[in-house]
Structures are given as C-alpha cells and as structure tokens.
Amino acid sequence: DKLGNFKLVPQASHVYDNDQLQDKAALEAGCSANFDAYKACINDPPRFNGGLRSGSFHIHLGNDKLCDFNIRHQAIRLLDIFVGVPSIIFDKDKTSNARRQLYGKAGEFRPTNYGLEYRVLGNYCLRSPKLTNLVFDLVNHSMAHIEKEDQMDILNSFDPKSIQTAINFNDIKLARNIMKKTDLPKKLIDEVEKKHDTDMYKAWGIN
C-alpha cells in the first residue's frame, strides 16, 4: 500500500488537532463564493472555529438550460427534492450533521459557465459504486423534469421550508415523508432505503 499506515475514509467531517493545521492552506475556507437557491443570494463564507474540517460530494452538471438564471435556481431546488432529501436517508455518516455547520445546507450551489455545481451532499456515496450510481440515477431523474419543462409543477407541490428543514437538520422522518410524495420510481426508493455495503475498499475492489 502506497499510503503506508494511512487509509482513505470518505467521512463528511473530522475535528483535527491543532498540530495538523499548521499550514496556512488549512485556514482557507472555500475557493469561491457559493449561493443559496432559495434566497437567490450569496452565502456567507464559512468560518473555521477550531479543528472542524469537511469533505463533500459535489455534483457538476453541464447544460445550456442550466446557464439560465431562473432555470438554474429551479434545478437546484429540484435536486434538493430528488437527491438532497433522499441522501438524508441513505447517508449513514454520523459526521454529516457537523459538516453542515460549514457546508452543505439545502439549496447550496455554485454557478458555472457550463451550468452548476450542486454542493449539498457529503461524501458518503463514495463508499461504494452502487451508492455513486444511485446518486447518478437520482440526478438524472431530477434533470428529466428540466428537459420536460415541468419543474415548476414539482416545485409548487412541496413546501420549500420542509425541504430545507429535512436537509439542514438531518430529519430522516420528514425526508421519508417528502420522498413518498415524489414521483421517484419504486426501484430508486428501494435503493435509497437499502442497506448498502459501505466497506469502501471491499466495495471498490481496492487491495
């Protein structure tokens, strides 16, 4: 093993000791501004308080439609419904709540010149290819509504405050109630609820 005694761990957050944070790069929070799709404003940059640092699974989507200001914001809110909310159910990482002190609240994104970067998920889905594929399928379902141009019908069917509460406070019961009201296929819902193999090395065949 090239990592020696170290091991890769897809964990949403960790509190590091001060002696591990001596490099000035350890004090840099974010590389550019991120935005709130609900308030249509820039989020305040996170401030490191102590040794808490986080890891994420950011989703980059490229499409001409997503370069439109309104559609981009609508797409982020769709992703919250079909990806962010289910992630509260399948993400079993106990450090995810702490991560949201810094990053990953509902509606968090960065605009890009090719579309958007969705920033809500932690990196739990890196634990297995099945989890990563599940996220891919949930994203595809979300974007199908953008292609059909019926995204406002979906968005108007849900209380945005409930979506934000489910994600921001890791409310699994509320997330389940929301997911049951979506048009997600039963196959995808079953995958969200399924107990996945989360031994990353075994799941990815890493020796």
Side-chain angles (χ1 to χ4, degrees), residues 121 129 193:
L121 269 62
E193 295 283 3

Side-chain angles (χ1 to χ4, degrees), residues 159-207:
D159 175 14
K161 290 185 178 179
S162 294
I163 303 298
Q164 291 170 288
T165 298
I167 292 173
N168 294 348
F169 296 96
N170 204 49
D171 190 327
I172 296 176
K173 182 178 179 181
L174 179 57
R176 281 202 172 97
N177 288 337
I178 293 168
M179 187 172 69
K180 289 176 182 177
K181 296 176 183 177
T182 68
D183 65 346
L184 282 172
K186 183 179 183 300
K187 181 179 179 180
L188 279 181
I189 291 177
D190 289 345
E191 282 297 310
V192 170
E193 295 283 3
K194 183 179 177 181
K195 185 177 180 181
H196 291 270
D197 182 359
T198 55
D199 181 330
M200 187 183 76
Y201 279 68
K202 179 181 177 182
W204 288 99
I206 301 172
N207 296 320

Side-chain angles (χ1 to χ4, degrees), residues 63-114:
N63 186 295
D64 288 344
K65 290 184 177 181
L66 300 179
C67 294
D68 176 87
F69 181 89
N70 290 325
I71 294 177
R72 176 186 281 148
H73 283 71
Q74 293 161 10
I76 294 296
R77 291 174 60 192
L78 273 183
L79 289 165
D80 273 354
I81 293 170
F82 293 117
V83 185
V85 166
S87 78
I88 299 303
I89 300 168
F90 69 69
D91 186 338
K92 309 300 184 185
D93 186 348
K94 294 180 180 180
T95 72
S96 290
N97 277 342
R99 169 181 171 262
R100 288 200 168 93
Q101 295 177 32
L102 301 173
Y103 292 108
K105 289 185 171 61
E108 191 170 313
F109 77 101
R110 280 185 179 137
T112 66
N113 60 3
Y114 50 81

